[in-house]
Amino acid sequence: MTGPPPPRRAPAGGLLLGLLTALLAAGTALLVLVVPPLYGRDATSEVDDGTHTVPRSEIARTLSGQLTLPFRTGPDAVRCSGDLRPVRSAAVRCTAHFPVGRDRHLTVEVTHVQDNKVTYRRRSVPH
């Protein structure tokens, strides 16, 4: 006389796959929440009272901070071709020098001016 078959167990690989899928989904959600601020391309700075521009040193400091991510070394130096005038579409060229890898060439362009605050956006330039 035969009884009912023993209950089937899910293979261990299926459980592991399910767990990894859940972790990946949670990690992706966290990445979506965290990455946009880290990769922000816009910045706002005040105009220098003496020169009536955003000094190149301020632009370089801001770019250096934007290009430095957790667990990654940022640029050794960022150099910009000049100060940024507070006029919409005004632009300067900058180069970020990394300790390992290629230099990164960027253009910084004014997108908005309000009172003494200038908002500008960086974009990569192919070389």
Side-chain angles (χ1 to χ4, degrees):
M1 178 162 159
T2 351
R8 281 185 59 178
R9 293 179 138 200
L15 180 62
L16 182 59
L17 183 60
L19 182 60
L20 288 174
T21 302
L23 286 173
L24 181 62
T28 301
L30 180 62
L31 189 63
V32 167
L33 293 174
V34 172
V35 170
L38 295 177
Y39 281 113
R41 294 175 177 256
D42 289 352
T44 300
S45 297
E46 289 189 14
V47 172
D48 180 83
D49 289 333
T51 63
H52 302 291
T53 61
V54 177
R56 69 180 81 191
S57 59
E58 168 67 11
I59 299 166
R61 184 190 63 75
T62 300
L63 289 177
S64 183
Q66 287 181 339
L67 297 172
T68 301
L69 300 172
F71 314 114
R72 177 171 179 238
T73 304
D76 283 338
V78 176
R79 290 187 175 60
C80 297
S81 62
D83 297 339
L84 190 59
R85 294 179 306 118
V87 177
R88 188 172 171 82
S89 299
V92 295
R93 289 286 187 100
C94 299
T95 302
H97 303 280
F98 288 89
V100 176
R102 299 168 63 158
D103 288 350
R104 190 163 167 193
H105 302 282
L106 306 159
T107 296
V108 175
E109 183 177 352
V110 174
T111 59
H112 185 73
V113 178
Q114 184 175 4
D115 300 325
N116 69 334
K117 299 208 186 285
V118 177
T119 301
Y120 46 93
R121 173 169 288 166
R122 69 176 163 88
R123 60 183 165 83
S124 293
V125 175
H127 49 80

